[in-house]
Amino acid sequence: MDNDNHKTTADKLVYMANQIATFFHTQPKDEAVEGVSNHINLFWESRMRTQLFIILEKEDNGLDPLVIEAAAHIRKPGSVPA
């Protein structure tokens, strides 16, 4: 039986965000933070970003520290792009 069928949407988003962070960990810190936030801003729908901000509010959210740091640069849905 496929274990992915039992994961919540939040679990899947944490997994995806952490996969992005894993890719960027090989780069210098500033570039990695920018890379994670740029990727999420470009490729995640507003619903996904909304859910990510909800996940970020939880203390033990399972997110890679690089995702947490990049969150300050991720556009909140409904905000005007800089």
Side-chain angles (χ1 to χ4, degrees):
M1 181 177 283
D2 186 13
N3 209 11
D4 276 352
N5 291 334
H6 300 291
K7 289 184 179 179
T8 66
T9 300
D11 291 337
K12 291 175 184 176
L13 290 176
V14 167
Y15 177 80
M16 289 169 46
N18 288 345
Q19 287 293 99
I20 296 164
T22 297
F23 175 82
F24 285 104
H25 269 295
T26 60
Q27 298 181 3
K29 183 75 170 228
D30 289 346
E31 291 176 28
V33 169
E34 183 179 349
V36 170
S37 62
N38 284 342
H39 183 91
I40 291 173
N41 284 328
L42 289 171
F43 298 108
W44 283 30
E45 296 179 349
S46 62
R47 291 178 297 169
M48 296 167 72
R49 287 182 281 121
T50 296
Q51 184 67 32
L52 178 63
F53 283 108
I54 292 168
I55 294 165
L56 282 159
E57 292 175 6
K58 298 177 182 173
E59 192 169 320
D60 292 328
N61 54 35
L63 289 167
D64 185 292
L66 186 54
V67 176
I68 294 169
E69 188 170 345
H73 306 283
I74 296 171
R75 283 191 311 273
K76 292 187 176 181
S79 65
V80 178

